[in-house]
Amino acid sequence: MPGSISIEELEDLTGARNQPPPRGDRDLWQGDGALRAAAAAFGGAAEALAPYGAALGREEMRAAGREANRCTPRFTPFDAGGRRIDRVEFHPAYHDLLRLGIGAGYSAIAWEGAPGGHVSHAAMVYLHSQVEPSTCCPMTMTYAAVPALRASPDLAGEWADGLLSRNYDPSDAPAGEKAGFTMGMAMTEKQGGSDVRANVTKAMRDGEGWRLYGHKWFCSAPMSDAFLTLAQAPGGLSCFLVARWQPDGSRNAIRIQRLKEKLGNRANASAEIEYHGAYAEMLGEEGHGVRAILEMVHHTRLDTAMAPAGLMRAALDEAYYWCTHRSAFQRRLIDQPLMRAVLADLTLDWLGALYLGLRVAAAFDETGAEARAFARIGVALAKFLSNKRCIGVVGEAMEALGGMGYVEDTPLPLLFRETPLNSIWEGSGNVICLDILRTLAREPLAGEVLAAELEAARGLNRAYDAALEAHRARWPALPCEGEARWFAESLGGLLTASVLLRHRPGAVGDGYVRARLSGGRGQVAGALGGLDEAGILGALGEGA
Ligand SMILES: Cc1cc2nc3c(=O)[nH]c(=O)nc-3n(C[C@H](O)[C@H](O)[C@H](O)COP(=O)(O)OP(=O)(O)OC[C@H]3O[C@@H](n4cnc5c(N)ncnc54)[C@H](O)[C@@H]3O)c2cc1C
């Protein structure tokens, strides 16, 4: 018939040409040479990370991540008879992801006594964030609660074994009936989150224990078995452990008001709660609540410093794969000079965050005042810088996929929605920068160990040496508050460069100095010349 075409021609015209093939199962450990090298450099346990990376990379787990984000948690306040149950139900895929993480030792490995436990833990955060970042939250809080509990040996004795269990037990039951626990934290109130001293929740003595009255504006993972929380006792702001069940086996009076409707982190529930005389036990000393909970916050900060490295890795891995299999204007995207400039520039931030995060995690593994001081300043610098870079990196990686990057069939939207969060919680950007100034002002040792770490790379790259001198000339003393971000960005960049120059010399170390410390470039990704793009992009292709 004139004007018609054959079925074969139609199939040819409508076929999926120039579309990258489905990726299928991947191995997030074997396929990531940079992770393997960094973990080896800082003492991570390959035997724990290899099976975890292989399991997480299966298509089945990615599908679980998508499902858990699509079918968000559901809140049921009452049972059929009108009795309060305050239950939040999650999609089975959410539980699958937690079972995998807790089973692999995400929450426990740092405390099990093997060398490099925190590095292995941080590498697990990096791996898990690539597949489904919001399930990291309950596991991170469980990991971080363990050292905080040391403030009260009795409470530690009661809870530590369950927190360190590798059995994930999501049942809604008293702790004594469970094979493993998770723990959350509830600090933020309506009138103030960063400034926890503004907390008004009230604690009143009740025999051996306490009763809490008040609210918490954010309480993530509300089905956790217990929460560390802050409340005003007669002796001042104090830290308490509030279990979901009371010692007599009845439900504790923790009322979930509603779940937040969030931009991302959608598989995880974040609730508003009220304490209606909830039974609580004091952790640490009365009036010293901030000190007690800061031990938990110090450890959650490690995870919020590490997660952006995972988000950047996942986004760049997708972008690299896409550009390797997609052509425009008769040439593969990965062979287009401008795309190479963009991806190489972004890759530096991923590698910087990965190496810096694991270097800081290694300080958590070491003992002694110097390591502790480095962990404190290093984790703040890494949290600030890596998260700020992450938002731009994932956004640019999305653009490398063109229109498909904006579509939920690819992981980019899920990753992108997560990017601002690790910068906001556990100390928002400004708060972290002010904390950096405070630490350097109050703990001279932190300044000394940081200076030694920066000096360790002197002589490896002339532009690095010049940038270090310029930083010191600009700030011979600590800056005023208004310059805290500028100061922290500069210091964080120098610290990252110092780690990369020593552990990833050549294209990456020198490239980082060229791109982040030397000036003479534009402000958007790819707006520079002089990078060894092949050497840098090799990190994305390694092991693939
Ligand atoms: C998804 C999600 C889950 C959460 N889960 C939990 C949870 O489980 N438990 C919990 O306790 N909290 C949780 N939070 C709360 C979170 O930790 C707080 O939102 C955060 O600490 C900031 O507190 P805020 O919202 O009160 O902001 P504010 O403290 O009002 O800060 C607002 C802004 O002001 C800046 N700022 C504050 N002080 C200064 C200053 N001196 N100078 C300059 N700038 C300043 C901050 O950096 C921030 O950018 C969650 C938040 C989110 C988004």
Side-chain angles (χ1 to χ4, degrees):
M1 197 184 9
S4 72
I5 60 171
S6 70
I7 300 265
E8 291 74 22
E9 279 177 298
L10 183 60
E11 277 174 1
D12 188 42
L13 287 173
T14 56
R17 276 180 292 190
N18 198 21
Q19 286 285 330
R23 299 198 65 178
D25 291 344
R26 306 167 227 177
D27 187 326
L28 301 187
W29 172 256
Q30 285 304 333
D32 188 345
L35 171 63
R36 284 184 278 115
F42 298 115
E47 62 279 12
L49 295 169
Y52 192 43
L56 274 169
R58 293 197 317 265
E59 184 50 39
E60 182 190 334
M61 295 321 292
R62 290 175 187 283
R66 284 193 295 274
E67 274 308 282
N69 277 272
R70 202 172 57 81
C71 307
T72 53
R74 204 178 55 190
F75 170 43
T76 310
F78 303 101
D79 72 5
R83 289 167 289 266
R84 278 218 78 123
I85 52 170
D86 294 284
R87 183 171 296 155
V88 178
E89 283 161 300
F90 298 86
H91 190 275
Y94 171 91
H95 296 302
D96 290 344
L97 285 152
L98 277 173
R99 195 168 291 110
L100 180 65
I102 286 180
Y106 183 119
S107 308
I109 197 164
W111 312 115
E112 289 174 339
H118 284 88
V119 174
S120 302
H121 162 76
M124 287 184 176
V125 175
Y126 169 85
L127 288 166
H128 203 99
S129 301
Q130 294 178 46
V131 178
E132 204 302 291
S134 53
T135 38
C136 289
C137 168
M139 297 192 286
T140 283
M141 292 194 292
T142 302
Y143 149 76
V146 175
L149 288 178
R150 289 187 196 132
S152 288
D154 287 356
L155 285 177
E158 209 179 309
W159 287 89
D161 283 354
L163 295 174
L164 297 181
S165 167
R166 289 193 178 206
N167 291 313
Y168 173 59
D169 183 346
S171 61
D172 184 13
E177 299 169 18
K178 296 190 59 163
F181 309 149
T182 56
M183 198 172 276
M185 72 201 300
M187 295 187 291
T188 309
E189 297 186 5
K190 294 187 190 92
Q191 69 282 1
S194 312
D195 182 7
V196 290
R197 291 190 187 277
N199 276 195
V200 294
T201 291
K202 203 167 181 172
M204 298 172 78
R205 263 235 170 262
D206 180 18
E208 292 292 291
W210 295 78
R211 295 280 165 191
L212 303 190
Y213 300 87
H215 82 280
K216 294 292 167 182
W217 189 224
F218 280 92
C219 175
S220 290
M223 298 308 285
S224 299
D225 296 289
F227 307 89
L228 295 191
T229 200
L230 291 174
Q232 299 286 356
L237 192 63
S238 308
C239 186
F240 295 89
L241 186 148
V242 192
R244 289 197 55 248
W245 295 76
Q246 303 195 85
D248 67 5
S250 62
R251 280 178 197 281
N252 207 353
I254 306 169
R255 307 281 184 249
I256 297 177
Q257 300 299 102
R258 60 175 170 168
L259 301 186
K260 303 277 197 197
E261 185 67 46
K262 296 175 290 184
L263 167 69
N265 199 262
R266 293 182 66 81
N268 184 31
S270 299
E272 296 165 18
I273 62 167
E274 287 182 0
Y275 299 128
H276 290 198
Y279 178 79
E281 292 169 274
M282 190 176 281
L283 181 70
E285 291 173 47
E286 187 170 345
H288 293 277
V290 174
R291 188 198 296 162
I293 205 125
L294 272 182
E295 191 59 26
M296 184 168 184
V297 171
H298 177 57
H299 287 82
T300 54
R301 279 188 183 168
L302 175 62
D303 291 19
T304 56
M306 204 61 221
L311 297 175
M312 287 190 268
R313 160 70 191 179
L316 288 169
D317 181 57
E318 290 297 333
Y320 185 81
Y321 182 79
W322 188 272
C323 292
T324 307
H325 293 89
R326 174 108 175 151
S327 299
F329 305 98
Q330 291 86 48
R331 203 151 47 146
R332 290 190 317 162
L333 288 171
I334 199 63
D335 298 325
Q336 309 271 4
L338 188 51
M339 184 61 90
R340 295 179 71 75
V342 170
L343 291 181
D345 199 9
L346 303 176
T347 298
L348 294 170
D349 285 321
W350 154 50
L351 292 170
L354 169 63
Y355 276 78
L356 177 61
L358 293 188
R359 166 65 189 97
V360 170
F364 279 68
D365 279 320
E366 293 160 25
T367 51
E370 293 192 351
R372 174 98 189 157
F374 182 74
R376 174 127 165 70
I377 189 75
V379 80
L381 289 167
K383 177 177 175 344
F384 176 65
L385 187 64
S386 299
N387 281 300
K388 289 299 167 206
R389 302 300 308 177
C390 180
I391 301 172
V393 168
V394 176
E396 286 284 3
M398 176 185 279
E399 190 168 323
L401 275 71
M404 280 307 291
Y406 201 67
V407 174
E408 299 282 348
D409 288 340
T410 76
L412 270 303
L414 186 151
L415 296 169
F416 189 67
R417 285 192 291 269
E418 191 76 11
T419 56
L421 184 55
N422 289 296
S423 189
I424 292 174
W425 59 15
E426 311 308 329
S428 305
N430 288 355
V431 169
I432 289 287
C433 292
L434 295 175
D435 188 53
I436 288 165
L437 296 194
R438 216 170 10 254
T439 302
L440 292 173
R442 288 188 191 162
E443 293 180 38
L445 187 58
E448 288 164 28
V449 291
L450 182 60
E453 188 83 7
L454 299 178
E455 283 300 323
R458 193 186 278 281
L460 298 179
N461 178 301
R462 261 196 238 134
Y464 170 81
D465 297 350
L468 186 54
E469 289 313 317
H471 174 90
R472 287 178 176 160
R474 178 67 190 78
W475 290 291
L478 289 176
C480 60
E481 280 193 15
E483 287 186 15
R485 272 193 181 225
W486 187 10
F487 177 78
E489 182 187 6
S490 170
L491 209 45
L494 285 164
L495 182 60
T496 308
S498 162
V499 175
L500 287 177
L501 285 170
R502 286 173 292 145
H503 296 283
R504 194 97 190 180
V508 174
D510 293 337
Y512 191 89
V513 175
R514 160 78 192 92
R516 300 285 170 267
L517 302 183
S518 306
R521 61 160 296 166
Q523 295 195 9
V524 298
L528 80 171
L531 292 181
D532 173 358
E533 286 150 6
I536 297 167
L537 291 174
L540 280 170
E542 274 172 15

